[in-house]
Amino acid sequence: MAELSAEFIGTIRQNVSMQEYTSWRIGGSADWLVEPANQSEVIRVLDFCADNAVPLTIIGRGSNLLVSDAGIAGLVLRIGENLSRVEIEPQADNYLVRAECGVLLAALSRQTAEAGVGGLEWACGIPGNLGGALMMNAGAYGASIGEFVTEVQVAAYTGAEKRKAVLQTLHGDDLHFAYRSGCLPENTVALNVALCLPAGNREDSLMRISEILSSRRQNQPLEYPSAGSVFRNPPGSHAGYLVEQSGCKGLTVGGAQVSEKHGNFIINLGGATAADVLSLIEQVQQIVAKKTGYDLETEVRLLGRQN
């Protein structure tokens, strides 16, 4: 790793517990965790991994991840605080917001509202960063991030051997958002996003944000580590409702529990392992399928070595 470390402005750490970098506070250690300081260092990391056959895992703020108890082999590239700048430009009939993908989605929601820009109030309580939101087309209250994205700048491998990383711009037909499905190919790092947002009313937007956050505090187990919603909503129903109707609230395996407050949250009561969560997910899926006929699919990404 000395080659990568030379004149590297960002941070490079070895044997890093992924519990520090996931909202579930679960997971073994990554062999290496790298946080680039700028776009050039992102490309440098991608080239380094390709040239040296180092396994690469890309994460954001870790809000939708379950990391194996056995950790992650190779290098984890984290897009976080170093890449979180936001620019807001007024247009004739709307606003153009350019944001780096390390910015927290909740922070972007509030920053735009404070500037009199509408459209992202729904995102105020969603954990994770903008890059993660692109990965899964994050949404709430009938809206999703894909509705507003006009352009995404990425670092991606190119060429026949996929060995060199370059900056590319995705727009128009290159963006394929669907329900909880984003627009980024594998081993592609989102760096910047252009969003077309409507003009809003600052006071109205901030009031809506306050209402949403109050509702989340009442209805979601925010006092415990979790990954947010575990299951996708199946067509015609809601995952949380199905879990609750199937009697799964409070179901516990080890340190993992289906929240008593919200059926689509699995919380870490303390000391939960990835194995606990996976076992609990499987039990819930089996019970819900037997009692309702619905097959629940997970939203969370599973990363790392197999246990």
Side-chain angles (χ1 to χ4, degrees):
M1 296 290 289
E3 173 191 341
L4 181 61
S5 300
E7 300 180 4
F8 197 85
I9 301 173
T11 59
I12 300 176
R13 298 168 59 198
Q14 187 176 13
N15 296 326
V16 178
S17 171
M18 293 305 295
Q19 293 181 20
E20 303 176 35
Y21 292 96
T22 61
S23 59
W24 240 328
R25 299 292 181 260
I26 290 174
S29 295
D31 291 348
W32 296 91
L33 186 135
V34 178
E35 298 181 83
N38 50 52
Q39 295 184 14
S40 296
E41 288 192 343
V42 172
I43 291 178
R44 183 175 167 188
V45 170
L46 293 179
D47 288 345
F48 171 82
C49 290
D51 291 341
N52 295 280
V54 176
L56 173 65
T57 302
I58 302 162
I59 69 169
R61 302 297 182 102
S63 63
N64 199 44
L65 306 178
L66 180 61
V67 174
S68 165
D69 298 317
I72 301 177
L75 185 150
V76 174
L77 172 62
R78 181 176 183 264
I79 304 299
E81 297 85 352
N82 294 337
L83 294 162
S84 59
R85 290 173 296 183
V86 176
E87 297 178 356
I88 300 175
E89 304 173 15
Q91 306 288 301
D93 300 315
N94 48 44
Y95 284 85
L96 175 64
V97 175
R98 295 189 182 276
E100 291 186 310
C101 287
V103 66
L104 285 168
L105 193 59
L108 182 62
S109 170
R110 183 167 292 276
Q111 186 172 345
T112 53
E114 290 277 6
V117 181
L120 295 183
E121 295 89 349
W122 56 270
C124 63
I126 296 181
N129 64 7
L130 181 56
L134 293 177
M135 282 290 296
M136 62 174 297
N137 193 18
Y141 301 99
S144 59
I145 194 68
E147 300 172 34
F148 307 99
V149 174
T150 61
E151 188 174 283
V152 182
Q153 186 182 50
V154 303
Y157 294 116
T158 189
E161 297 182 2
K162 304 291 185 183
R163 291 289 296 271
K164 300 297 291 183
V166 297
L167 292 177
Q168 299 179 8
T169 301
L170 306 178
H171 51 77
D173 293 339
D174 296 329
L175 302 173
H176 304 287
F177 289 105
Y179 174 70
R180 298 299 176 266
S181 176
C183 62
L184 302 181
E186 187 177 359
N187 285 343
T188 297
V189 184
L191 299 173
N192 286 282
V193 180
L195 303 163
C196 181
L197 296 172
N201 178 280
R202 180 180 181 274
E203 287 71 27
D204 290 346
S205 292
L206 292 177
M207 182 178 296
R208 178 58 179 153
I209 286 174
S210 178
E211 292 171 350
I212 290 173
L213 293 178
S214 176
S215 175
R216 284 182 176 273
R217 284 191 293 270
Q218 293 178 20
N219 299 308
Q220 297 180 1
L222 303 182
E223 64 273 24
Y224 291 99
S226 77
S229 296
V230 174
F231 301 105
R232 298 170 182 261
N233 288 327
S237 190
H238 294 277
Y241 171 81
L242 294 172
V243 172
E244 294 170 11
Q245 291 300 304
S246 299
C248 293
K249 289 175 71 174
L251 191 64
T252 303
V253 174
Q257 182 186 72
V258 178
S259 169
E260 296 275 10
K261 189 179 285 188
H262 194 301
N264 204 11
F265 280 64
I266 290 178
I267 59 176
N268 182 353
L269 295 174
T273 65
D276 292 340
V277 173
L278 289 172
S279 177
L280 187 53
I281 287 174
E282 184 176 352
Q283 288 188 37
V284 170
Q285 288 173 320
Q286 291 175 351
I287 293 171
V288 169
K290 181 177 180 180
K291 293 192 174 183
T292 71
Y294 282 93
D295 294 321
L296 293 181
E297 298 179 2
T298 57
E299 284 190 8
V300 295
R301 294 171 62 205
L302 308 180
L303 299 180
R305 302 179 177 95
Q306 292 185 346
N307 289 313

